Amino acid sequence: MAADWLGSLVSINCGATLGVYQGEVSSVDQTSQTISLRQPFHNGIKCPVPEVTFSAMDIKELKILEIRNGSNGVSKRSLPDSSSSTGYNGRKDKGGGCGGNGHINSAPVTVPSKAEPRLQEGGMSPSQHYSKSYGERHVDIVSQNKGFRRRHNSWSSSSRGANQATPKKNGSKNGQMKNKDDECFGDGMDDVLDEDFDFEGNLALFDKAKVFSQIESSDRRGNGARSRGTPAEQTPSRYRHDENILEAKPVVYRQITVPQPGAKEYSTDSGLVVPSISYELHKRLLSVAESYGLSLERRLEMTGVCASQMALTLLGGPNRLTPKNVHQRPTVALLCGPHVQGAQGISCGRHLANHEVEVILFLPNFVKMLEAITSELTLFGKTSGKQVSSVKDLPDTPVDLVINCLDSHENTFLRDQPWYRAAADWANQNRAPVLSIDPPVNGQEQAVEAKWSLSLGLPLPLPERAGRVYLCDIGLPRQVFQEVGIKYHSPFGCKFVIPLHTA
């Protein structure tokens, strides 16, 4: 009778403490009431010992997964007196086992009885069993003579309980004893797959040209909705970070044309061409703008805002004008004359003073001044700015910025006045950079050498002494430009002040 069970695959449930074992029956001893399993699995993990022996007293339930001797089906039978706790005469061997005490050598391992001390409570409950399909999977592996393999999945990892003890392996590695990490985490690491996956061979099975040809043929059948080719046939276009990928037509860089081009042409940072205009065309442009309602007061306010914004940037912007830097407020000296350009400078000084900049306005005393200057001085007097009428009252030390509004487009006789020469000498001797607002072009050398110059609307052909030219948007509509024969598209984009480069 005992020989009929040899070779069968069984599943033995030893309770919550010892767990569940699976394996092939190697021997059944009716006298000592023991059964031995070859190539055992404990809780789904292959045991490091080749054979484990169980006593009938420790077996809670026994399931036969497959009977290999004389039967083709799967049946469930019990060992003789498997549930009896008497008649156990087996010897209790001490040593490391798979989930219990026993020998690790090739000799069969005897599982201790219930009376011996158990490991920590935990593990799988007695009601948990292995399904038929699970057993059949292990049978297939055994039938292929490749041995049991460790299952690398979440179930096998989670099925380990606190009761499972890692057996000690008495061995040496390179002549030295294995450390504790190898004893704790090294179990089963030697059980690797017999054959490595052939990535190169699998990749060689993919015919890239054939797949692309199939895609191309399917695109032809779809009325050419898409056009694809092999990577060798396609030449991808390369775009810069500032280029438009969906560009439909070429960019026209000359979007402004004037009836009488000036002596110079400028270009913006994006490459748009901005031609210069003569002073006569500039006067006609402002006259038409005033007839449409863009009065001098509006132009003064717009010019003052744009000039102050540029000046704030030159002074350091957010790096200089912060609440933590109130003890180092920038100082600006404004040099203005009795004309429209002087009124533009006063408007700029008012906005600078509103932004916590120390402004010193130089304007000589005149018996008769323009109404625009009078109104701008009234508004400037409401700020924290300081007004002086003598060059002696200007600072002796260098200031942060000098804004020059001394020159006029029409009145060139002012350069002969003593106050003009004294103010120009002070600006040239002061080591601060100079910003000129709306400098004139009258064929004479400018008295004050500027680092930057701000033109209004469209630039005038300024000389080299004017420094780098910037363009200010004073709000002239396109129809105003068309009225004087200028084809105009705004070159400002998202800004009101843009730099110009000499073409």
Side-chain angles (χ1 to χ4, degrees):
M1 292 295 293
D4 296 339
W5 300 93
L6 300 181
S8 301
L9 294 179
V10 298
S11 175
I12 299 177
N13 186 359
C14 297
T17 304
L18 297 180
V20 179
Y21 291 81
Q22 286 180 323
E24 181 183 352
V25 178
S26 60
S27 63
V28 178
D29 191 348
Q30 296 182 354
T31 304
S32 60
Q33 294 289 299
T34 59
I35 182 173
S36 300
L37 301 182
R38 184 187 300 113
Q39 299 294 334
F41 274 75
H42 179 226
N43 291 337
I45 301 175
K46 185 178 179 181
C47 295
V49 294
E51 190 176 10
V52 179
T53 302
F54 301 90
S55 174
M57 299 177 61
D58 294 322
I59 298 176
K60 300 294 183 182
E61 184 178 4
L62 188 145
K63 289 184 178 181
I64 299 177
L65 304 179
E66 181 180 354
I67 300 178
R68 295 188 176 181
N69 293 331
S71 178
N72 294 328
V74 178
S75 60
K76 297 181 180 180
R77 301 174 59 184
S78 301
L79 289 174
D81 299 333
S82 62
S83 60
S84 174
S85 61
T86 60
Y88 172 67
N89 297 323
R91 181 174 57 86
K92 295 181 288 183
D93 298 329
K94 302 293 183 179
C98 183
N101 294 331
H103 290 290
I104 303 181
N105 300 327
S106 60
V109 179
T110 303
V111 180
S113 62
K114 298 179 181 180
E116 290 198 45
R118 303 298 181 96
L119 298 176
Q120 296 180 359
E121 295 295 327
M124 299 180 60
S125 62
S127 62
Q128 291 177 319
H129 308 293
Y130 293 91
S131 63
K132 172 183 175 182
S133 60
Y134 181 82
E136 289 176 349
R137 288 198 297 268
H138 286 291
V139 172
D140 295 337
I141 300 175
V142 175
S143 63
Q144 296 176 2
N145 297 325
K146 291 185 179 181
F148 291 104
R149 296 179 180 177
R150 179 179 179 181
R151 298 183 64 220
H152 298 275
N153 51 23
S154 58
W155 187 91
S156 61
S157 300
S158 60
S159 60
R160 285 191 178 187
N163 61 327
Q164 182 177 353
T166 303
K168 293 184 178 180
K169 296 181 181 180
N170 298 325
S172 61
K173 185 176 182 180
N174 297 328
Q176 298 179 357
M177 297 298 294
K178 293 184 178 181
N179 53 23
K180 295 182 180 180
D181 292 341
D182 293 338
E183 295 179 0
C184 295
F185 307 105
D187 60 329
M189 294 302 296
D190 295 335
D191 290 334
V192 296
L193 296 177
D194 295 341
E195 297 180 0
D196 294 335
F197 183 76
D198 188 6
F199 290 95
E200 296 182 357
N202 185 64
L203 183 61
L205 298 177
F206 177 68
D207 191 353
K208 187 183 299 183
K210 181 180 179 181
V211 172
F212 276 105
S213 63
Q214 292 177 356
I215 296 175
E216 186 176 1
S217 61
S218 63
D219 291 339
R220 293 196 191 100
R221 291 193 298 269
N223 296 326
R226 296 178 297 173
S227 177
R228 289 186 180 181
T230 59
E233 297 174 357
Q234 287 183 339
T235 304
S237 301
R238 295 182 178 274
Y239 297 93
R240 298 197 311 266
H241 68 281
D242 57 346
E243 287 185 328
N244 187 8
I245 298 178
L246 303 178
E247 184 176 331
K249 56 184 179 180
V251 179
V252 178
Y253 291 100
R254 188 175 292 275
Q255 300 180 359
I256 303 176
T257 57
V258 296
Q260 298 175 357
K264 283 189 176 182
E265 280 191 347
Y266 300 92
S267 62
T268 63
D269 290 338
S270 58
L272 296 177
V273 178
V274 181
S276 63
I277 59 176
S278 61
Y279 176 66
E280 289 74 16
L281 186 58
H282 180 73
K283 286 196 303 181
R284 288 177 52 196
L285 186 64
L286 296 182
S287 177
V288 173
E290 191 165 356
S291 65
Y292 277 100
L294 194 62
S295 60
L296 177 61
E297 289 75 13
R298 288 190 174 186
R299 299 200 306 270
L300 289 176
E301 189 68 19
M302 195 68 183
T303 304
V305 171
C306 293
S308 62
Q309 193 175 38
M310 180 179 177
L312 291 173
T313 304
L314 297 176
L315 291 172
N319 298 325
R320 181 79 180 275
L321 300 169
T322 59
K324 298 181 180 180
N325 199 25
V326 293
H327 61 288
Q328 292 181 341
R329 294 172 57 186
T331 303
V332 174
L334 267 169
L335 307 180
C336 299
H339 36 65
V340 176
Q341 284 70 28
Q344 294 172 353
I346 299 173
S347 176
C348 174
R350 170 167 54 88
H351 290 289
L352 289 176
N354 291 337
H355 285 264
E356 303 300 327
V357 177
E358 293 185 1
V359 180
I360 302 174
L361 172 61
F362 168 77
L363 181 65
N365 293 325
F366 295 97
V367 178
K368 184 179 180 180
M369 290 190 296
L370 295 176
E371 183 181 355
I373 294 180
T374 305
S375 59
E376 289 295 334
L377 284 176
T378 303
L379 292 175
F380 181 81
K382 306 300 179 182
T383 65
S384 59
K386 178 183 178 182
Q387 180 183 355
V388 296
S389 58
S390 176
V391 178
K392 298 179 180 179
D393 297 330
L394 290 173
D396 297 332
T397 58
V399 295
D400 294 278
L401 181 65
V402 174
I403 299 180
N404 178 26
C405 299
L406 294 174
D407 297 299
S408 173
H409 287 286
E410 298 179 355
N411 191 357
T412 60
F413 300 100
L414 293 177
R415 295 188 176 185
D416 298 332
Q417 300 293 328
W419 61 267
Y420 181 93
R421 293 196 301 268
D425 292 341
W426 179 89
N428 291 326
Q429 293 176 3
N430 195 288
R431 288 174 290 180
V434 178
L435 167 64
S436 295
I437 299 178
D438 194 14
V441 180
N442 46 27
Q444 297 182 7
E445 192 72 19
Q446 292 187 1
V448 179
E449 184 176 0
K451 188 174 183 179
W452 308 281
S453 293
L454 183 63
S455 297
L456 309 181
L458 285 177
L460 301 175
L462 299 176
E464 296 296 332
R465 192 175 176 85
R468 186 172 183 182
V469 181
Y470 283 75
L471 189 62
C472 168
D473 183 11
I474 57 176
L476 299 179
R478 179 181 296 182
Q479 190 172 355
V480 174
F481 290 95
Q482 294 176 356
E483 191 76 17
V484 296
I486 299 177
K487 182 183 177 182
Y488 181 81
H489 287 79
S490 175
F492 292 96
C494 61
K495 300 179 180 179
F496 284 88
V497 178
I498 57 174
L500 296 181
H501 310 276
T502 303

